[in-house]
Each structure stands twice: as structure tokens, then as C-alpha cells.
Amino acid sequence: MIQLNVTIMGSSYRLVCKEGEERTLQEAVSYLDGKMCHLRDSGKVKGNDRIAVMAALNMAAEFLSVKTPQGPLAEMTMLEVKQKLGEMHTVLDNALTPQENLF
């Protein structure tokens, strides 16, 4: 494991990651720091904890709205894919439950 010292919104943190994942972690830290500093500098959100929560919510919304790459689900957002997978699990559970009772 590798330890990295990073700074997010002026505060220092020591993070641990697997060897070879340092660059990805640094990019994630940079992205988060940018989001949090933008919220802080806008003056609309006060308090580090609120800024962190709002940044996390914004990033989660971005992630869930991203379109999937090529393939049969290419026109769906990640949220739609997640919902579709949930529906598929329900169908499979409903189909397999009676089979379990046979044994």
C-alpha cells in the first residue's frame, strides 16, 4: 500500500491506496478539491461539512447522468442501467424462488 499526502480545500489528509493507483487517487482528489472550492467560493454554501455533502451530491448526480459507452445499453444513463439491473434481479428472484422450493 502507498501513502499519499493530499490537500483538499486547504486541509491536509493522508490517504492510502494500492500501488499503481496513485495517479487515479490524485486525480480524484484534484476533482473533489475543485468542486469543494467552487462551492465555497460561490458563497452559497457555508461550513465544510455542508460543502462536502453538496460536492458529493453533485458528483453522484454527474456519475448517474453519464451515458454508458457502446453496447446494448448505450443510450441509457448509469442511473437507468442501475434501475434496469434492479428490475432484472426482481424478475430472476421471482423466477428462481419456486425452483428453490423443489429441493
Side-chain angles (χ1 to χ4, degrees):
M1 298 300 268
I2 304 292
Q3 289 189 359
L4 294 176
N5 293 316
V6 301
T7 303
I8 301 172
M9 216 173 70
S11 295
S12 296
Y13 299 91
R14 182 175 298 210
L15 305 177
V16 177
C17 67
K18 293 179 183 175
E19 191 170 333
E21 295 180 355
E22 301 93 341
R23 182 173 178 215
T24 301
L25 180 57
Q26 287 285 11
E27 288 175 8
V29 165
S30 178
Y31 188 70
L32 175 61
D33 182 56
K35 290 288 187 183
M36 290 180 67
C37 288
H38 178 74
L39 284 168
R40 178 198 61 206
D41 296 344
S42 74
K44 296 179 183 177
V45 182
K46 301 287 184 202
N48 289 352
D49 57 336
R50 290 179 183 266
I51 290 170
V53 168
M54 291 305 297
L57 287 171
N58 289 337
M59 292 167 62
E62 287 175 11
F63 171 75
L64 292 173
S65 67
V66 170
K67 296 279 185 183
T68 57
Q70 307 164 8
L73 306 175
E75 294 303 314
M76 298 176 78
T77 64
M78 294 301 284
L79 179 58
E80 291 168 330
V81 169
K82 184 178 177 186
Q83 290 169 338
K84 184 63 81 180
L85 285 171
E87 293 168 9
M88 291 168 62
H89 280 263
T90 300
V91 169
L92 286 171
D93 286 343
N94 290 338
L96 294 175
T97 299
Q99 298 297 318
E100 290 175 2
N101 295 332
L102 294 176
F103 296 103

